[in-house]
């Protein structure tokens, strides 16, 4: 709390005005030009380096991101990952035996398919000779999958790697209590009826209490929502600013969806047949419950969490974590999401030899880590200046920014930290601030608050969106940044491939 009070005193004098969100949102939303700009290649230096292999993003796809408990409810994680892999194969036409390795990121693992990369790959028809492994790094798990792919190619181990991520929040593993698990394991080993009866007689009602997946940081015992609320308070981010930013995200996502800009979204036939309930929330009021009849012929083709509302409706929601005075609500937080993503990453030489037209170069990247108590969600603030320095760029060189939106308060706190000389000097060992991204370049097709956030899959969405926006807007450099549980973060520079 000491850091929080120091931050609040400092940031109150920050160059960002309290009405920053309102002014920036109005500026961006007042024009659709950024969404429809024609590609005009800019003449900046390339980040290619002599003797360093160029690594390219050939294509990226994802299943529609759906609110958990809706159309994907009766599936399993590897089903979604398989759909993303098959969609990538269909879109690229790459022969399955031309892929050297497959890597997937996920956070809450299904125990039956703990190496979901392998199960999804086999289900998608890839050869059983292609190795596959699964990584986990909280919300930057598919970021790690992609950079692991980059490492394999840079080292000369592979020429073509598929990376991706999946998360399935509709059916998370729930365990028996530890005492019950110990009893059941002992029962399995018991050799006589007497031993079994003795163990059964020791079972108490309390043993039957289920053990839900952890929703809190193990090291701090604090949920991410609580951390976001405290961070927003430390940086003086108001409830109004958070609601305005969330509304901006949903409004821009709707424009991008309606304008056909979300090219990475696959149409997906949901297998099986079931009826599920969709608790559709618009701002503050739960609308009539929607019954979704899902059959093998029904096709899901759009993200279903995009819901532009009004500030008036959003203001009626009660705090979700710190009650009654918190500012983080369901309306300005990302929602529990099911979804999967996949990208094809290759050496430029191999991609061109196979006749592919790459979308972008994957350039410098960094991972950062800091105090998980007071600075859990500040990954973008720490990662951005480091990756820019590695690439020899400044904020002014970046044409497209795509930051992960876990909470509106988290995004706003990062923007204020990035604009604070005091924070840079006190906590980052830097002489000056890195500065804030211009909002007319920032998350212009929506973000995790509106599109959804399947933990393990978001990183691939961010990188693919940067590549598509660079093509659409005629920019050369894009910057991806994200925070993650454990106080970690990731940042990457993406360079447009020549048109």
């Amino acid at each position: 709390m000491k850091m929080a009070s120091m931050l609040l005193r400092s940031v109150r004098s920050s160059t960002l005005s309290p009405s920053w969100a309102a002014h920036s949102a109005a500026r961006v939303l007042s024009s659709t030009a950024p969404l429809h700009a024609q590609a005009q290649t800019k003449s900046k230096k390339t980040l290619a380096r002599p003797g360093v292999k160029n690594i390219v993003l050939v294509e990226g796809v994802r299943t529609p991101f759906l609110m958990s408990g809706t159309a994907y409810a009766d599936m399993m994680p590897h089903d979604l990952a398989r759909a993303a892999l098959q969609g990538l194969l269909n879109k690229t036409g790459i022969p399955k035996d031309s892929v050297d390795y497959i890597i997937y990121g996920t956070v809450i693992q299904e125990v039956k398919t703990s190496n979901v990369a392998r199960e999804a790959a086999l289900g998608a028809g890839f050869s059983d000779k292609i190795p596959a492994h699964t990584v986990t790094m909280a919300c930057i798990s598919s970021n790690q999958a992609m950079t692991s792919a980059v490492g394999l190619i840079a080292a000369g181990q592979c020429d073509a790697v598929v990376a991706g991520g999946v998360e399935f929040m509709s059916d998370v593993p729930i365990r028996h209590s530890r005492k019950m698990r110990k009893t059941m394991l002992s029962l399995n080993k018991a050799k006589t009826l007497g031993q079994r009866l003795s163990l059964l007689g020791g079972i108490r009602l309390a043993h039957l209490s289920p053990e839900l997946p952890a929703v809190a940081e193990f090291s701090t015992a604090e949920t991410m929502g609580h951390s976001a609320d405290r961070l927003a308070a430390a940086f003086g981010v108001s409830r109004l600013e958070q609601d305005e930013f969330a509304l901006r995200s949903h409004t821009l996502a709707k424009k991008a969806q309606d304008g056909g800009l979300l090219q990475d979204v696959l149409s997906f036939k949901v297998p099986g047949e079931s009826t599920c309930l969709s608790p559709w929330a618009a701002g503050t009021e739960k609308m009539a419950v929607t019954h979704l009849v899902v059959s093998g012929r029904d096709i899901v083709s759009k993200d279903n969490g995009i819901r532009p509302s009004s500030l008036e409706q959003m203001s009626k929601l009660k705090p979700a974590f710190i009650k009654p005075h918190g500012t983080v609500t369901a309306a300005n937080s990302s929602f529990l999401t099911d979804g999967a993503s996949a990208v094809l990453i290759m050496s430029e030489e191999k991609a061109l030899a196979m006749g592919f037209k790459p979308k972008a170069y994957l350039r410098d990247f960094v991972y950062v880590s800091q105090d998980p108590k007071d600075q859990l969600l500040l990954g973008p603030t720490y990662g951005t200046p480091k990756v820019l320095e590695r690439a020899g760029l400044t904020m002014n060189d970046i044409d497209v920014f795509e930051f992960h939106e876990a909470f509106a308060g988290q995004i706003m706190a990062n923007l204020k930290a990035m604009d604070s000389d005091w924070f840079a000097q006190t906590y980052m060992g830097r002489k000056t601030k890195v500065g804030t991204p211009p909002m007319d370049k920032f998350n212009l097709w929506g973000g995790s608050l509106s599109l959804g956030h399947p933990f393990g899959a978001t990183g691939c969405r961010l990188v693919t969106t940067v590549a598509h926006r660079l093509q659409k807007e005629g920019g050369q450099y894009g910057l991806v940044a994200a925070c993650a549980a454990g106080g970690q973060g990731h940042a990457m520079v993406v360079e447009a491939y020549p048109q």
Side-chain angles (χ1 to χ4, degrees):
M1 294 306 293
K2 180 180 179 182
M3 190 200 88
S5 61
M6 292 171 68
L7 282 174
L8 186 55
R9 287 198 300 272
S10 170
V11 177
R12 277 174 175 162
S13 61
S14 170
T15 57
L16 287 174
S17 68
S19 59
W20 170 90
H23 293 160
S24 62
R27 185 170 66 251
V28 173
L29 297 179
S30 65
S31 172
T32 58
L35 296 181
H36 302 286
Q38 295 301 311
Q40 297 177 351
T41 304
K42 299 180 180 179
S43 55
K44 295 179 183 176
K45 65 177 182 179
T46 178
L47 295 183
R49 297 183 181 123
V52 177
K53 187 176 295 187
N54 282 329
I55 297 170
V56 295
L57 173 74
V58 174
E59 187 59 87
V61 301
R62 62 183 177 91
T63 68
F65 286 177
L66 304 187
M67 294 186 293
S68 61
T70 57
Y72 297 151
D74 294 328
M75 299 175 65
M76 290 181 67
H78 72 284
D79 293 323
L80 289 176
R82 181 181 67 237
L85 290 175
Q86 290 172 331
L88 186 66
L89 288 171
N90 293 338
K91 199 163 187 178
T92 62
I94 187 170
K96 294 176 183 177
D97 57 3
S98 295
V99 174
D100 302 312
Y101 207 101
I102 297 169
I103 312 171
Y104 250 73
T106 196
V107 179
I108 301 178
Q109 295 189 354
E110 163 59 55
V111 293
K112 291 182 179 179
T113 56
S114 55
N115 186 1
V116 70
R118 178 65 168 170
E119 304 304 333
L122 292 174
F126 283 94
S127 167
D128 58 12
K129 306 301 182 187
I130 301 174
H133 80 269
T134 300
V135 297
T136 187
M137 201 173 181
C139 300
I140 51 176
S141 293
S142 62
N143 305 65
Q144 183 59 252
M146 286 185 290
T147 56
S148 295
V150 168
L152 285 171
I153 296 171
Q157 292 287 319
C158 302
D159 286 316
V161 180
V162 171
V166 63
E167 209 66 44
F168 191 68
M169 300 304 295
S170 288
D171 181 29
V172 295
I174 299 174
R175 304 196 299 179
H176 283 291
S177 68
R178 191 181 190 105
K179 288 184 178 180
M180 190 64 183
R181 296 199 307 270
K182 289 177 70 175
T183 300
M184 293 173 73
L185 290 171
S186 298
L187 274 169
N188 194 47
K189 297 177 182 178
K191 296 181 179 179
T192 68
L193 178 60
Q195 289 175 334
R196 294 190 184 95
L197 291 174
S198 176
L199 288 166
L200 289 170
I203 295 176
R204 299 291 179 266
L205 188 61
H207 293 183
L208 302 177
S209 298
E211 191 175 281
L212 299 173
V215 293
E217 294 287 311
F218 184 81
S219 59
T220 65
E222 185 175 59
T223 68
M224 190 173 284
H226 277 86
S227 295
D229 231 329
R230 287 196 304 104
L231 192 67
F235 279 92
V237 182
S238 70
R239 166 74 179 270
L240 178 59
E241 286 179 298
Q242 294 174 58
D243 287 349
E244 286 173 335
F245 186 90
L247 179 57
R248 172 189 188 272
S249 181
H250 282 278
T251 304
L252 290 175
K254 187 69 167 67
K255 285 186 177 181
Q257 188 180 68
D258 291 348
L261 299 178
L262 305 182
Q263 307 163 44
D264 55 336
V265 180
L266 302 166
S267 291
F268 175 46
K269 287 186 178 181
V270 179
E273 186 170 347
S274 65
T275 301
C276 53
L277 302 181
S278 173
W280 191 268
T284 63
E285 301 170 353
K286 283 194 175 181
M287 307 298 285
V289 174
T290 303
H291 294 263
L292 299 175
V293 179
V294 180
S295 71
R297 292 185 177 276
D298 284 349
I299 297 176
V300 178
S301 58
K302 290 185 177 181
D303 307 317
N304 73 359
I306 301 173
R307 51 188 193 281
S309 182
S310 70
L311 289 175
E312 182 182 3
Q313 286 181 311
M314 295 168 76
S315 68
K316 297 175 183 176
L317 276 188
K318 295 180 179 179
F321 299 100
I322 298 180
K323 303 173 181 180
H325 303 300
T327 56
V328 174
T329 71
N332 57 40
S333 308
S334 58
F335 46 88
L336 296 180
T337 315
D338 300 334
S341 56
V343 296
L344 176 58
I345 299 173
M346 303 178 75
S347 65
E348 182 183 27
E349 183 180 12
K350 181 70 171 180
L352 295 179
M354 294 187 68
F356 289 115
K357 176 70 172 179
K359 290 182 179 290
Y361 293 106
L362 302 183
R363 298 300 193 189
D364 293 272
F365 62 87
V366 298
Y367 287 91
V368 294
S369 187
Q370 50 276 342
D371 170 27
K373 180 67 175 176
D374 282 339
Q375 302 189 39
L376 179 72
L377 304 172
L378 289 178
T381 298
Y382 283 86
T384 295
K386 286 188 176 182
V387 80
L388 289 176
E389 286 172 0
R390 283 184 62 89
L393 300 174
T394 68
M395 290 287 277
N396 290 333
D397 293 316
I398 303 300
D399 303 297
V400 166
F401 293 87
E402 285 292 331
F403 281 22
H404 165 47
E405 303 169 352
F407 302 88
Q410 158 258 333
I411 281 287
M412 298 292 297
N414 273 278
L415 295 179
K416 293 195 176 190
M418 293 169 74
D419 200 48
S420 168
D421 283 325
W422 177 86
F423 187 87
Q425 294 160 5
T426 305
Y427 289 99
M428 301 175 67
R430 304 181 60 82
K431 292 181 180 179
T432 59
K433 63 190 179 185
V434 65
T436 54
M439 295 309 291
D440 58 0
K441 299 180 180 180
F442 190 84
N443 291 12
L444 292 190
W445 295 356
S448 301
L449 289 171
S450 49
L451 300 172
H453 174 39
F455 304 143
T458 289
C460 289
R461 178 191 67 77
L462 293 170
V463 169
T464 303
T465 300
V466 165
H468 287 163
R469 281 189 56 201
L470 287 172
Q471 287 183 333
K472 185 71 175 176
E473 297 167 25
Q476 183 160 356
Y477 298 125
L479 177 67
V480 167
C483 60
Q488 304 191 96
H490 171 253
M492 176 187 277
V493 171
V494 177
E495 182 179 348
Y497 200 82
Q499 296 292 307

